[in-house]
Every structure is written in structure tokens, then in C-alpha cells.
Amino acid sequence: MKTIIAAYFQNRSGSRASVQAALHTLLTVPWPSQREFRACIQLLSVLQWVLSFLLMGIVFLFLLIYLVFTSFWPVSALYLTWIIFDWDAPEQGGRRSAWVRNWPVWNHFRDYFPIQLVKTHSLLPSHNYIIGAHPHGILCVGAFCNFITESTGFSEKFPGIRPFLATLAGNFRLPVFREYLMSGGLCPVTRRAIGYLLSQNGSGNAVAIVIGGAAESLSCQPGVTTLILKNRKGFVRMALQHGAHLVPAFSFGENNLFRQVVFEEGSWMRGIQKRFQKLVGFAPCVFYGRGLTSIHSRGFLPYPKPITTVIGEPVTVPRIKEPSHETVDLYHAMYIRSLLKLFNDHKAKYGLSEVDELRIL
């Protein structure tokens, strides 16, 4: 019996020593510094954004389908009923939420790159505007941060102006994801949706359109400033029909966030990309960014490269219900001149050299 008791206390003594050793080791491990903790939060904020845009719509679609075959089928039925009655909401101004636009997570998202918004001219609340956002890049990070969140202070820099960002109409067919998009101020890039904002939503609306679209993303690579714009004139026609002023905006650094495998024009892979783009509305790019563990690893997250979005001088546009081709061409040329001036005036300040030129196709 004495032997058993002695062994018991010896075992307890050994366990206590092991716990003490483990606690000592834990206390001697250096805790993350404030800078490292902040960098981790910023990385997680970008991760949630990327996953939201890549997976949220698909996940909720399959979840609602799955619930149909369970005892929770009323959830799917109620949401389907809601969608039917609310189907036209994205094309009728949507449902902007100041609360969503001011989420603290967007400040961490902004600081990860970092992203800043530069104002060169005022926008008057008595007018409506179409902002041409350039370049597209891979994921339009600069356009999202500046026009869909308040982290860069859009409303402070342009008081009385309500910014919207046009994106693929198909995104608004995905359950729950559509609510998320509308809450920030995203709208379908359709004539009906943009026309509503410019004619039936009062004044002080600024609709940002990424003019180059999916075609421009195919030529996105670091150090290259190529825009698809020469034959993109629909936004100018809409501006004339609604009397909305045209405003160029350029995000310096947007093309540096990812590395892309660019296939040559005429190659079979480029042909597949273009056919896919015509069918679905976006181009399947072969790209990579950084991974979760290190900036030197490969993954799907953007590299932390600075983005500076400069809002240029508005081009005053008259209201012409049925503008002629010559009138559209005239204001299209004026817009391009304003964009080139913006680019040339600011390129040396934000990462490019004086000899870099903006190539417009």
C-alpha cells in the first residue's frame, strides 16, 4: 500500500513539473508584435473579401437547394418568394447601406495594400456622373475599395455624391450574394440599371463603370498600362442621353496585384478565353498571387502593392436624347484626352516613370 501511495505522489509530482515546464515554455515564446498582429488582421480582411466574391453566391445557392430536401424547406420557399417580388431591385437603385459601407473591416482591407483616393476636381451634387474606372486589373480592387466602401473617404472628399459601381448582371441572380452586393452600392452594368440611377434617382449620383471589362483583364500584367477603350462608346452615348458628366478615374498600381499568364493574340488559349468571355461575360484568367503563409508563397490573394485612384476633371456633357454618331465620337475623344491628361500628370507620382505611356486599344 505504501508503495502505491508513493508512486501516486511521485506521478503527481512529475505531472506538476511537466505542467510547469509547459507553462514556462509558453511564456517564453515571443508574442506577435502589434505590427504583426495588424498585418494578420489585414490579410484576413482581404481573404474574406476574395472568398466572398468567389464563393458566397455558389455556397448559398447550393445551401438553399439542399434545404429544399430537409425539414427546413420553408426557408428556401420564403427566400424564393422574396426573390420573385424583389427581382427588379438591383436595376432600380438597389439598397445601399451606410452601415455596410462603413464596416471596420474595410479599413483593414484598405491598409493591406494600401489604397488611397486622390481628388483633383470637385463633383457638384446638382449633377449626375458616369465615372470611367481604369484599368480593370484582375479583381477591380481599387474600384471596389473607393466606390463601395467609405474606407478611403469618398463621401468626405465628394460631399453630396452617392457612388455606385456597375458589375456583371449575373452576380445579382445568386441568392444572398445579391443582397451583399446591393448593400455596398453595386448595380448591374445594364442600360436599365444605369439609366435608372441617372434619370430616376435624383441628382448627385456617380455610377462608376470599369470600361475595359473582362477583355481588358486578359492583358493585365505588372508594368503594362493597356486599356480597351477605343471602340467602347456606349457609356458616352448613355451620358449624352441623360446629361451625365463624364469623369475619368485611374487606379495606379491595380495591375501589380497579381501575376498573369498572358497568351498571345491568335493562340488557341486566347481563343478559348475570348469564347468563354462571350458566353459567360467574364474571361477565365490564368493568374496567381501570394499565399496565406508568406508573401513569397503562391496563392490566390493579391500582393500588398499600393493603389492610388485619381479622380480626374469632369467632361461637361449636354443632354441629347438621340445623339448622332459624330456627337458620340466627339465626346468620346474629349473623354480620352481628359484621361490621358490625368495619367500623364500623375504617373510619376504613383509608381510609373515619365516615359511610360498609356496604350489605348
Side-chain angles (χ1 to χ4, degrees):
M1 185 67 180
K2 290 182 179 180
T3 304
I4 295 174
I5 294 174
Y8 170 75
F9 281 105
Q10 185 177 2
N11 184 50
R12 284 192 62 185
S13 177
S15 300
R16 189 181 300 110
S18 299
V19 171
Q20 290 175 344
L23 288 173
H24 178 73
T25 302
L26 182 63
L27 293 173
T28 56
V29 173
W31 288 85
S33 65
Q34 187 176 5
R35 181 180 178 182
E36 291 172 333
F37 180 76
R38 191 163 52 244
C40 180
I41 296 298
Q42 291 169 3
L43 181 63
L44 291 175
S45 71
V46 174
L47 175 64
Q48 67 81 24
W49 178 77
V50 172
L51 292 179
S52 295
F53 273 82
L54 294 180
L55 299 177
M56 180 186 287
I58 300 298
V59 168
F60 276 101
L61 176 62
F62 281 104
L63 176 62
L64 289 173
I65 292 174
Y66 168 75
L67 292 178
V68 169
F69 303 98
T70 69
S71 58
F72 294 99
W73 63 266
V75 174
S76 298
L78 287 172
Y79 189 79
L80 178 60
T81 304
W82 163 255
I83 286 287
I84 292 173
F85 283 99
D86 195 57
W87 188 257
D88 292 331
E91 294 191 321
Q92 295 178 352
R95 284 184 295 274
R96 289 163 53 90
S97 168
W99 176 64
V100 173
R101 291 176 60 86
N102 285 281
W103 277 350
V105 69
W106 303 132
N107 295 331
H108 300 298
F109 179 87
R110 171 202 63 202
D111 294 338
Y112 169 83
F113 296 95
I115 300 173
Q116 64 172 323
L117 179 66
V118 176
K119 171 185 176 180
T120 62
H121 292 78
S122 296
L123 301 181
L124 300 178
S126 56
H127 297 293
N128 286 325
Y129 301 89
I130 290 181
I131 300 177
H134 311 275
H136 184 285
I138 297 295
L139 294 179
C140 302
V141 174
F144 177 88
C145 188
N146 287 299
F147 301 125
I148 300 305
T149 81
E150 290 295 338
S151 61
T152 56
F154 185 96
S155 294
E156 294 178 6
K157 291 180 172 69
F158 301 99
I161 302 296
R162 293 181 298 275
F164 296 85
L165 178 62
T167 186
L168 292 175
N171 290 327
F172 296 90
R173 305 296 181 252
L174 295 173
V176 181
F177 188 48
R178 69 193 291 272
E179 325 299 338
Y180 176 69
L181 296 179
M182 285 191 289
S183 65
L186 283 151
C187 68
V189 62
T190 61
R191 288 184 177 276
R192 183 185 175 194
I194 297 172
Y196 182 92
L197 292 172
L198 297 178
S199 63
Q200 301 181 50
N201 200 46
S203 61
N205 300 291
V207 183
I209 304 174
V210 186
I211 309 297
E216 194 171 275
S217 66
L218 295 177
S219 59
C220 166
Q221 52 185 320
V224 176
T225 48
T226 300
L227 303 183
I228 306 297
L229 179 58
K230 189 176 292 184
N231 296 317
R232 299 289 175 99
K233 301 178 181 179
F235 73 104
V236 178
R237 183 175 294 278
M238 286 204 69
L240 285 162
Q241 290 172 339
H242 298 284
H245 298 341
L246 292 168
V247 184
F250 196 93
S251 292
F252 294 91
E254 181 74 42
N255 286 349
N256 298 332
L257 304 183
F258 294 95
R259 304 291 183 268
Q260 181 180 190
V261 179
V262 179
F263 301 101
E264 294 182 3
E265 287 291 343
S267 64
W268 65 275
M269 277 299 297
R270 190 61 169 238
I272 290 176
Q273 287 178 316
K274 287 186 174 181
R275 282 194 290 271
F276 192 90
Q277 175 197 332
K278 290 180 179 179
L279 288 173
V280 182
F282 66 92
C285 302
V286 181
F287 68 91
Y288 65 90
R290 62 160 292 179
L292 273 173
T293 57
S294 165
I295 193 174
H296 302 294
S297 61
R298 290 191 178 185
F300 56 89
L301 296 178
Y303 289 105
K305 302 289 185 180
I307 301 174
T308 302
T309 302
V310 183
I311 307 293
E313 182 179 3
V315 176
T316 302
V317 176
R319 185 172 185 177
I320 303 174
K321 190 174 182 180
E322 295 294 337
S324 64
H325 293 296
E326 292 76 15
T327 303
V328 172
D329 290 342
L330 172 64
Y331 283 93
H332 185 262
M334 292 171 62
Y335 174 83
I336 290 179
R337 283 197 297 270
S338 183
L339 175 62
L340 288 170
K341 183 179 185 303
L342 180 157
F343 179 82
N344 291 324
D345 288 350
H346 296 87
K347 61 184 179 182
K349 300 177 190 175
Y350 304 119
L352 299 177
S353 68
E354 289 289 356
V355 297
D356 285 321
E357 295 182 355
L358 187 61
R359 187 181 174 206
I360 296 178
L361 301 178

